Amino acid sequence: MKRLMLIMLVVFVAFAGASVFAQDKELKIFIWSEYMDEVNMPKAFEKATGIKVHLDLYESNEEMLAKLQAGGVSLYDIVVPSDYILPSMIKLKLLQPLDHSKIPNIKNLAPKFRNPAFDPGNKYSVGWQWGTVGLMYRKDRVKEADAQSWSLLFDPKKDPGPFCLLDSVREMMGITLLYLGYDFNSINPKELMAAANLLIKTKKRPSCLGFKGGVGGKNDVVANAAAAAIVYNGDAIQAIASDPKHLGFTIPKEGSEIWIDSMCIPAKAPHPDAAHKWINWILEPKIGAWLSNYNHFATPNQAAMPYLNKEDLNNPGVWPTPEMMKKLHFVKDLGKNTRIVDEAWTRVKSH
């Protein structure tokens, strides 16, 4: 009897070990759509580590946050949130601290990304890519001079034809506030009311195709279904590379947003060791360059710089000039005051 129990125990331990081993060979990533080579990059990681990658995609920070709160915190191993939402995720205990001993390549981060204000000491995050939000337009429908101001969308007299707004609360509210001459991160009720009123009037115009998330607006401009759209710079630059004659991108004179997205590990990630291996792999110089050369966003990986496409390095749409940087604003964590902005946005979407 004892011999039988011992055999059963050995078999159980063997199966349990095999199960753990199998788990270590998986990685579940929740990430923005079209943000990496979704076919070849997972294959390359699997070849390098033996770990198979599964991807789920989202189109906004708010969508990602809602899914984590609904149980995704124990489903995914890597998420890629934007800077402004990270403090809220940390306060909500949705993320786990990183083990820097498992990420030796963190040394490859450029100095300005090693101790970000939204996550001191990179306790919970490591930079993925950074970029801007701007105006993508069709050169055959919009004059370049007219695209240099957000008035192209907000002033009915300058209507470009069909256009898309960005379905992201802080970016869209911030851009509207800048156009009105206010602070990008304003929490002044009167200023937020003015911005909300302008957005409501704008979205009700016949030429407005509504709010598009992620790559939606970019796709409409490429398909000539829209003359202009508010988009993330890398999405625009990637499309322009295929059709520079008809497509353009700019940061309007009133200013816009600059952002950084980071790799994080959810608090109850099923495969945290694999997640650390992914982060360290992305920080390899040539892998970091591959990522940026594919999605045309700027990299926080200083060691990747020698391997970047020269065309992108010289493109102000990817790497903003010092003059452009002066009119770009980070979204600030507003703490409890976020509610005021959310209420204004809810009013915009419900009217």
Side-chain angles (χ1 to χ4, degrees), residues 130-151:
W130 66 273
T132 62
V133 173
L135 183 67
M136 183 178 177
Y137 61 98
R138 292 199 59 92
K139 294 179 179 178
D140 50 354
R141 301 176 73 171
V142 176
K143 295 179 181 179
E144 184 177 356
D146 292 338
Q148 303 310 309
S149 171
W150 290 118
S151 62

Side-chain angles (χ1 to χ4, degrees), residues 185-226:
N185 293 287
S186 175
I187 54 173
N188 182 302
K190 290 184 179 179
E191 294 175 356
L192 288 169
M193 177 69 77
N197 287 341
L198 178 56
L199 279 171
I200 291 170
K201 291 179 182 177
T202 302
K203 80 167 192 176
K204 288 184 176 181
R205 287 179 12 220
S207 54
C208 183
L209 300 178
F211 296 91
K212 299 293 181 79
V215 297
K218 180 266 294 185
N219 290 337
D220 280 355
V221 176
V222 170
N224 205 10

Side-chain angles (χ1 to χ4, degrees), residues 213-271:
V215 297
K218 180 266 294 185
N219 290 337
D220 280 355
V221 176
V222 170
N224 205 10
I230 301 176
V231 304
Y232 298 107
N233 64 315
D235 296 330
I237 302 303
Q238 188 173 354
I240 291 169
S242 301
D243 189 6
K245 180 179 179 181
H246 297 105
L247 303 175
F249 175 82
T250 188
I251 303 293
K253 64 182 181 181
E254 295 90 356
S256 188
E257 181 202 14
I258 181 173
W259 49 263
I260 178 170
D261 291 344
S262 299
M263 295 175 282
C264 302
I265 303 178
K268 298 180 181 179
H271 315 113

